Amino acid sequence: MQKEMAYSFPDEVLKHVFSFIQSDKDRNAVSLVCKSWYEIERWCRRKVFIGNCYAVSPRMVIRRFPEVRSIELKGKPHFADFNLVPDGWGGYVLQWIAEMAGAYPWLGEIRLKRMVVTDESLELIAKSFKNFKVLVLFSCEGFSTDGLAAIAASCKNLRELDLRESEVDDLSGHWLAQFPETCTSLVSLNISCLGSDEVSFSALERLVDRCPNLRSLQLNRAVTLDKIANILRRAPQLVDFGTGNYAAELQPDVFSNLAGAFSSCKELKSLSGFWDVVPAYLPALYSICPRLTSLNLSYATIQSPDLIKLVSHCPRLQRLLVLDYVEDSGLEELASSCKDLQELRVFPSDPFGVEPNVSLTEQGLVAVSLGCPKLQSVLYFCRRMSNAALVTIAQNCPNLTRFRLCIIEPKTPDYLTLDPLDAGFGAIVEHCKDLRRLSLSGLLTDHVFEYIGTYGKKLEMLSVAFAGDSDLGLHHVLSGCESLRKLEIRDCPFGDKALLANAAKLETMRSLWMSSCAMSFGACKLLGQKMPKLNVEVIDETEPPDSRPESYPVDKLYIYRSVAGPRFDMPPFLWSMDEAVKILH
Amino acid sequence: MELQLGLSLPSTPIFPFKMLDLNSYGYELREGLGPFGINVNNNCGSCSSSCNSSSSGGADDGGGGTKTRRLLDEENRIVPKTLPLLFWTNQRPNDEDEPKDVDDHSSSAIFKNDGEGLVGWPPVKAWRKKVRRRVANVRAAVENSCGGRASSSTYVKVKMEGNAIARKIDISLHHSFESLTTTLMRMFDISDENGQKSFKLTYLDREGDWLLAEDVPWRTFIRSLKYIKLIRSRC
C-alpha cells in the first residue's frame, strides 16, 4: 500500500502541479512521461501554440486538448512579408474558428499572425465566445471595419485588441463607437494600421476615458498632434503609447499642452508611431525620455541631429527602431548614451536607390557593438560591410541572439578586401554561441555555410539570399544545425542533392522555403512521395510544373512537416507533391 | 558526385519507383556499414544526430505516451527514421549535373515586377513600404503648402453639376484657387470667361458639410477637402 502511494498521486494533485508548467516544451515533455500523465496533461492544457496552421487540423487539436482557453496560429511563410508568396496562397482562419466555436465555448484568446481573417470569422468570434478577452491580428488581412464593429459590440470583457501591421478595409469610421458604454475592461488597443479616416476620434476619447486599466494604446495616422494631449490626459497610466501624426505647425500653446500631457504620464516607458514628424515637437517628450526603455522611430523621417538630441535624453533605452537617417554619427551617440541597449533595428530610408542617400555604414554598427555590451538583437540595413567589422562586432557582442544583416546590393563583397564575407559571418556564429536567428547577405560562398553548420548549434531560424556556390552549402546547414526550425532561401544555387540527402532532417523542422533555386520538379515529387509526414508544395503562377520536363527547376517550394496530410484549400497555382492528391486543374 | 541510388538526375530519366525500394536498400546498408553507408564524410555523422533529435512538440496526434521514432512503411517493416533519399559524398558536385537552363530560369523569375528590380529585395516589409508611400504622399502635399490632408491620397474626385461623369484631380499640384480653377475649367471644357463666371467652386469637407471654396483660405480648403463640386452660380 505504501509503495503505491509513493508512486502515484491523485489526479487532482498532478493537475495542480501541472498548472505551474506554462511552457509548451515542458508541457510536451510532461505528456511523454507515461499514459496517465499524458491524459491528465491534455485535459488541463489551456494554451496551444501552432506555428504552422497547416501542420495540424483543428479537429486534431480539439481531440487532444479539449479545454483550451488560448490559441495562437501562424499562417503564411515569413517571406510573404516581402511579396514572395502570391495572393490567395492560404492561411484562412475561418475553419479554425468554426470548429473551435463548437468545441471551446470558453476560448478567451486568439492570436494570429499572417493569416487571412474575414469579417465572417470576426463575427463568428464575436458570437461564439462569451468570455472573449484577447484578439491579436498581427500582419493579417481580409477583414474590414465591419468585422471590428462586431467584435467591439459583442465582446463585453475585451481586454486586448491589437491589429498591428494588418490590412483593414475601411468601410466606416464608426466601429469604435460600437464598444458599449459598459465596456471598461480594455488594457491594450493597437489601431496603428488603420488608414486615415477609419477612426472616430470622439468615440476613441470616450473609450479611453472609461477604461482605467488601459496600459497600451497605439493610435493611427488620422489622430493629429493637437489631439494627442487630450488622449494622454485621459490615460496618464499608459505604459506604452503610439502617437498618431506627430506633425503640425509649431504653436507654443499646442507645444506646452503636449509637453504637459506627456509629463503627466509617469508610467510611460515605450513610444512608437511618429508618422510624419515635425522635429520642433520632439522636445515635448524630454520629460519622459529618462524613463523610456523602448522607442520606435522607424517611420519618422527626422535627420541625424534631431535624432541624436532625442536619443541623448534616453539613457535607459533598451530598444531602438530607427531609419538610417540616424547615420553613423547618430549611432555613435547612441553607443555613448544608451548603455542598456539590447535591441537595435535600422531600416533603409531609400531601399531602392542605387547610391547611398545617408552616411550610414558598418561603422555605426561597430560603434554600437563597442558601446552597448548588452546588445542581443540586431536588424541592420546598410550598403557596405567588411569582414573586419563583422569580426569586431562578434567579439564585442558574444550575447547576440538575433543577427540580421541586409547589405542592400546582393552579392556585395567586403568593401576593403573584395573578399566574400564568409569569415565575418563565420565569426558571428562562432562567437555568439546563443545565436538563434541569423539573416545573411553580401557575397558568400559555401564556406559560410560550413561555419554555420559547425558553430550554429542553437540556430533556429536562418534566412539566406543570393549566397553559396553549390549544394554543399545547403548540406552543411541541414546536416550541422541541430536546432534548426525554419529555413528560408531565395536565389541560391541549391539543387536536389543536399535536400534529398537530408530529407529526414525536414521532419525535425517547422518549414523550409526555397524560391528561385535549382530544385527540380522530379526531386520535389520524389520527396513528396517518399516522405508522407512532409507536405511538399510547389508554387508556380505561370504554368503547371508537370507541363515541363522533370528536370526543370521549380519556381517556389514550401516544405513543412504536417500530421494533417495535404491541404484541402490549395489555390490553382499551388501543387502538392503528395501522391494521394489528385490534381484537378 | 557518386550516387549510391539510381535516382533521377536532372539529365537522366527517372527510374520507375518500384525499382527504388529505398527502405530495403537502406536497411541492407545499415547492416554492413552503419547508418549512412559508405563514402560519407564526418560531417554526415552529425547528420544522424541532428536527424535523430526528437522533434519538439506541437500538437501530436493522439497515440500513447511514447513517440514512435521510426517510420513504418507500407509493408510494416520498421525503417530507420534517418534514412535519406540520397547519400551524400564529400566530392564536389559535378557542374554538368546542374540543369543547364537554371540560370536563365532563375534570372527571369527574379525580375518579375516590371523593371522595378528584384521582387522582395531588399527585404523591407511590404506593409512598411506602403506606409512610407502614404507618408511620402502626405509630405509632398505638405511641402506644396497643402498642410496635411484629410485623406492620404492626393487625388480628389471632382464633379460638375449637370455632368454625370466624375473626374479626378491631383490636388498636390496646386497651390492656389487660381491654378485649381484654371485646371478644372480646362478639364470640363469651359473655355470662355462667361462660362467660368457661371460656375462656383464648392467642396465637401471632413465633417460632411458642403462649403463654398471662396469662403475659406487655401490651407483650410486643402486640409479638409474630400470632394469638389462645380455648381452653377445663381446670380
Side-chain angles (χ1 to χ4, degrees):
Chain A
M1 190 63 143
Q2 274 186 345
K3 249 198 211 161
E4 278 172 23
M5 288 282 286
Y7 291 134
S8 75
F9 292 107
D11 288 4
E12 286 310 308
V13 174
L14 283 172
K15 244 176 119 172
H16 183 68
V17 172
F18 292 172
S19 69
F20 294 102
I21 301 171
Q22 301 291 339
S23 106
D24 285 337
K25 257 179 107 176
D26 293 340
R27 283 242 164 199
N28 293 341
V30 159
S31 68
L32 291 176
V33 168
C34 63
K35 247 189 175 144
S36 72
W37 279 37
Y38 177 91
E39 276 302 307
I40 297 166
E41 194 282 318
R42 78 182 188 91
W43 278 94
C44 67
R45 188 165 321 198
R46 299 281 174 261
K47 263 178 91 159
V48 176
F49 167 76
I50 294 160
N52 174 3
C53 64
Y54 291 116
V56 66
S57 73
R59 206 155 296 177
M60 288 171 164
V61 177
I62 292 167
R63 192 167 62 213
R64 178 165 174 194
F65 301 115
E67 305 229 321
V68 165
R69 302 268 194 276
S70 159
I71 192 157
E72 183 173 348
L73 284 163
K74 294 189 180 179
K76 298 186 204 173
H78 173 237
F79 272 179
D81 285 354
F82 314 127
N83 288 339
L84 285 172
V85 176
D87 279 339
W89 175 86
Y92 307 106
V93 80
L94 183 60
Q95 174 76 18
W96 286 88
I97 308 289
E99 303 241 21
M100 292 190 302
Y104 297 147
W106 296 110
L107 189 70
E109 304 182 0
I110 295 177
R111 293 178 172 83
L112 305 175
K113 187 169 183 181
R114 284 191 208 100
M115 292 200 76
V116 177
V117 181
T118 54
D119 284 344
E120 193 187 344
S121 308
L122 292 176
E123 282 152 19
L124 196 51
I125 292 173
K127 216 169 35 182
S128 315
F129 307 115
K130 298 303 164 204
N131 199 28
F132 199 68
K133 295 208 170 70
V134 172
L135 183 63
V136 176
L137 302 177
F138 188 168
S139 247
C140 294
E141 57 169 352
F143 60 102
S144 76
T145 45
D146 281 357
L148 297 177
I151 296 284
S154 309
C155 300
K156 312 240 177 289
N157 295 314
L158 197 66
R159 267 197 347 233
E160 250 181 82
L161 180 61
D162 184 340
L163 308 173
R164 65 176 85 166
E165 296 185 25
S166 291
E167 296 239 12
V168 186
D169 279 338
D170 164 26
L171 293 179
S172 145
H174 299 296
W175 68 274
L176 258 183
Q178 296 300 311
F179 279 107
E181 289 302 312
T182 47
C183 173
T184 58
S185 50
L186 270 186
V187 171
S188 170
L189 181 64
N190 183 338
I191 51 173
S192 55
C193 66
L194 295 184
S196 289
D197 297 332
E198 286 159 16
V199 165
S200 153
F201 190 73
S202 51
L204 178 63
E205 268 186 318
R206 287 197 306 275
L207 185 61
V208 170
D209 239 345
R210 64 179 186 271
C211 292
N213 297 321
L214 193 66
R215 290 276 180 274
S216 175
L217 176 66
Q218 278 78 36
L219 304 172
N220 74 325
R221 290 187 300 288
V223 179
T224 51
L225 185 127
D226 51 302
K227 299 213 166 72
I228 293 177
N230 291 353
I231 289 280
L232 288 176
R233 289 205 192 278
R234 283 163 214 271
Q237 76 282 4
L238 281 177
V239 172
D240 180 11
F241 181 62
T243 72
N245 228 311
Y246 206 75
E249 273 177 48
L250 188 57
Q251 288 168 333
D253 53 338
V254 174
F255 182 93
S256 58
N257 196 15
L258 188 61
F262 271 117
S263 67
S264 71
C265 296
K266 306 289 182 205
E267 314 280 337
L268 204 47
K269 294 220 170 51
S270 166
L271 281 181
S272 59
F274 296 105
W275 319 101
D276 212 19
V277 176
V278 161
Y281 274 106
L282 290 175
L285 302 168
Y286 285 173
S287 62
I288 49 160
C289 282
R291 288 189 291 269
L292 277 186
T293 56
S294 170
L295 191 52
N296 183 350
L297 294 167
S298 61
Y299 299 104
T301 53
I302 41 181
Q303 304 301 319
S304 187
D306 296 309
L307 282 166
I308 289 176
K309 258 190 282 186
L310 185 60
V311 153
S312 62
H313 281 82
C314 306
R316 293 233 181 91
L317 207 58
Q318 293 171 14
R319 185 169 182 261
L320 178 67
L321 280 65
V322 74
L323 285 170
D324 59 8
Y325 291 126
V326 69
E327 297 193 327
D328 288 338
S329 52
L331 291 177
E332 277 152 27
E333 174 60 39
L334 181 70
S336 67
S337 306
C338 305
K339 296 303 184 186
D340 285 344
L341 197 72
Q342 292 173 20
E343 180 176 352
L344 174 69
R345 298 195 189 197
V346 179
F347 295 97
S349 53
D350 183 20
F352 305 106
V354 176
E355 293 303 314
N357 60 325
V358 290
S359 174
L360 179 101
T361 68
E362 83 284 4
Q363 294 305 319
L365 187 55
V366 171
V368 173
S369 76
L370 201 52
C372 306
K374 298 187 189 169
L375 197 64
Q376 275 177 30
S377 173
V378 170
L379 170 61
Y380 200 76
F381 283 81
C382 60
R383 287 192 154 86
R384 75 172 201 208
M385 188 48 64
S386 67
N387 282 310
L390 283 171
V391 170
T392 306
I393 292 164
Q395 288 168 341
N396 290 340
C397 296
N399 296 322
L400 282 176
T401 54
R402 290 186 209 89
F403 188 74
R404 294 154 72 189
L405 179 68
C406 177
I407 305 164
I408 288 176
E409 182 63 32
K411 304 198 187 181
T412 304
D414 177 328
Y415 78 98
L416 294 170
T417 65
L418 297 184
D419 288 334
L421 291 170
D422 300 337
F425 279 106
I428 295 279
V429 288
E430 186 182 349
H431 289 275
C432 306
K433 306 219 183 294
D434 290 323
L435 197 69
R436 289 195 315 261
R437 184 167 179 184
L438 178 64
S439 299
L440 305 173
S441 59
L443 182 65
L444 297 164
T445 72
D446 286 344
H447 285 303
V448 73
F449 299 109
E450 196 175 349
Y451 291 128
I452 292 172
T454 306
Y455 295 110
K457 295 308 180 188
K458 297 237 179 104
L459 199 63
E460 295 177 9
M461 182 168 177
L462 179 64
S463 309
V464 186
F466 305 102
D469 309 311
S470 74
D471 277 52
L472 194 56
L474 181 56
H475 174 67
H476 283 308
V477 171
L478 290 176
S479 59
C481 296
E482 292 163 358
S483 311
L484 197 63
R485 291 190 296 115
K486 289 178 279 183
L487 180 57
E488 47 187 24
I489 302 172
R490 63 163 293 174
D491 294 280
C492 296
F494 299 147
D496 304 336
K497 298 168 195 107
L499 208 54
L500 294 176
N502 294 281
K505 170 71 173 170
L506 299 175
E507 280 187 11
T508 70
M509 292 165 53
R510 183 188 298 175
S511 65
L512 166 66
W513 169 278
M514 283 175 77
S515 56
S516 304
C517 296
M519 189 68 179
S520 75
F521 180 55
C524 292
K525 279 208 300 196
L526 184 62
L527 202 59
Q529 286 150 4
K530 288 298 164 184
M531 307 293 291
K533 287 216 176 126
L534 293 179
N535 281 2
V536 180
E537 293 170 1
V538 170
I539 294 169
D540 197 323
E541 292 174 272
T542 52
E543 50 185 350
D546 56 8
S547 66
R548 295 188 290 247
E550 296 255 331
S551 58
Y552 207 77
V554 299
D555 181 22
K556 295 172 181 169
L557 176 62
Y558 188 49
I559 303 172
Y560 55 92
R561 65 178 175 187
S562 174
V563 292
R567 286 174 54 175
F568 298 121
D569 60 353
M570 291 185 283
F573 52 77
L574 199 151
W575 282 268
S576 166
M577 298 295 104
D578 194 293
E579 206 163 34
V581 172
K582 294 292 177 211
I583 299 159
L584 303 161
H585 288 300
Chain B
M1 182 179 106
E2 201 184 304
L3 289 172
Q4 304 299 321
L5 300 171
L7 289 175
S8 71
L9 280 182
S11 48
T12 59
I14 290 183
F15 292 103
F17 281 106
K18 300 195 270 304
M19 292 174 60
L20 295 170
D21 191 358
L22 297 173
N23 297 331
S24 63
Y25 186 75
Y27 198 72
E28 283 160 30
L29 265 191
R30 269 182 87 82
E31 289 179 38
L33 299 155
F36 285 95
I38 51 175
N39 287 342
V40 177
N41 71 1
N42 286 335
N43 277 345
C44 262
S46 65
C47 184
S48 62
S49 60
S50 65
C51 290
N52 271 322
S53 62
S54 54
S55 36
S56 53
D60 221 358
D61 179 24
T66 50
K67 262 194 200 164
T68 33
R69 276 161 155 263
R70 290 153 158 204
L71 300 172
L72 291 173
D73 67 8
E74 310 85 280
E75 294 150 348
N76 279 326
R77 282 177 303 170
I78 291 180
V79 172
K81 187 179 180 182
T82 58
L83 181 75
L85 293 177
L86 202 65
F87 287 97
W88 186 265
T89 74
N90 61 347
Q91 294 171 3
R92 291 213 67 94
N94 197 338
D95 283 328
E96 286 157 25
D97 291 344
E98 301 302 323
K100 286 186 177 44
D101 50 9
V102 73
D103 284 335
D104 294 337
H105 174 77
S106 55
S107 58
S108 65
I110 293 170
F111 292 91
K112 258 195 208 146
N113 55 344
D114 304 314
E116 226 184 68
L118 300 164
V119 177
W121 190 267
V124 175
K125 275 191 182 176
W127 187 78
R128 197 173 270 278
K129 275 195 286 189
K130 197 174 297 183
V131 159
R132 194 144 348 123
R133 218 177 297 135
R134 280 197 204 148
V135 172
N137 281 342
V138 172
R139 187 163 322 100
V142 170
E143 277 158 11
N144 292 327
S145 63
C146 287
R149 279 182 32 78
S151 87
S152 51
S153 160
T154 53
Y155 276 85
V156 178
K157 257 194 197 159
V158 186
K159 272 201 95 175
M160 185 166 85
E161 194 178 335
N163 195 325
I165 301 169
R167 312 289 298 276
K168 268 198 171 165
I169 186 173
D170 185 354
I171 203 72
S172 65
L173 298 175
H174 298 278
H175 314 290
S176 68
F177 284 119
E178 221 168 52
S179 79
L180 176 62
T181 322
T182 313
T183 307
L184 288 175
M185 293 299 134
R186 213 181 320 128
M187 198 183 262
F188 288 104
D189 263 319
I190 306 166
S191 44
D192 61 300
E193 279 235 353
N194 279 335
Q196 287 183 15
K197 285 215 183 78
S198 67
F199 278 93
K200 276 197 181 309
L201 189 65
T202 69
Y203 72 103
L204 180 71
D205 77 351
R206 262 199 281 200
E207 323 291 333
D209 301 317
W210 282 100
L211 303 171
L212 273 176
E214 66 191 27
D215 287 345
V216 299
W218 175 257
R219 280 196 150 202
T220 315
F221 170 65
I222 285 302
R223 215 174 285 139
S224 49
L225 170 64
K226 290 197 89 166
Y227 287 130
I228 293 177
K229 193 167 181 190
L230 289 170
I231 61 171
R232 289 188 188 282
S233 176
R234 299 283 177 251
C235 50

